[in-house]
Amino acid sequence: MSATALAHAPAADRRPRVRIRTGQVLLSVLFALCAMIAASTAFADDPFEPAAVVLIASFGCLAAVLGAAIVWSLPAAPRLWWALWALPGFFVRHVAALGTWVPDAVFAVAATAGVLLAKPARARPARD
C-alpha cells in the first residue's frame, strides 16, 4: 500500500501497519547496532585468538543481515516472526552468562518490544 493510500485509509486499518513498521524499525536499528558491535571486535584489543575474533565479527554481521532480512520479510511470510525471538534470547543469555546488565538487559527489553510490535496481524476473514 502506498503512503498516499495509507494516509487515506481508515484509522483502524492504519494502526496495525504503524505498529508493525515501528517494530520493524526498532529491530532494524538493533540489528544494525549488533553488526556494528560485532564488527568492532576486529578493530579493538580483544582477549580472543585472531581466528575467534574473525569468527565473532563475521557471524555477528551475518546474523544481523539475516535478522534484518527476516524483519522486512514479515508481511510476506508471517511465520518468520518466531525466528525473531532469537535476538531477545541472545541478550538474555548474555546477561545470564556474563552478568552484563548494561547494555544487554536494555537491549533485551528493546528487542522484546520490537518483536512484539512487529508481530504480523492475523488475516481477517473475507466479508461477504
Side-chain angles (χ1 to χ4, degrees):
M1 180 177 273
S2 70
T4 306
L6 183 60
H8 296 294
D13 290 340
R14 281 193 307 245
R15 280 190 207 118
R17 288 186 185 101
V18 170
R19 176 185 54 79
I20 291 170
R21 280 288 178 247
T22 303
Q24 287 175 315
V25 168
L26 178 59
L27 287 170
S28 295
V29 168
L30 285 171
F31 279 121
L33 191 59
C34 288
M36 184 185 71
I37 292 169
S40 72
T41 61
F43 303 104
D45 290 334
D46 215 324
F48 300 113
E49 297 289 326
V53 171
V54 170
L55 184 63
I56 291 167
S58 61
F59 181 76
C61 291
L62 173 66
V65 168
L66 289 175
I70 289 171
V71 165
W72 292 102
S73 299
L74 284 177
R79 281 184 253 148
L80 289 175
W81 177 77
W82 291 101
L84 292 175
W85 284 103
L87 186 62
F90 168 78
F91 289 123
V92 168
R93 286 188 305 270
H94 230 239
V95 169
L98 303 175
T100 53
W101 288 92
V102 175
D104 292 326
V106 176
F107 288 160
V109 170
T112 301
V115 170
L116 291 174
L117 287 170
K119 183 175 183 179
R122 293 185 182 178
R124 294 184 196 174
R127 293 184 181 179
D128 292 330

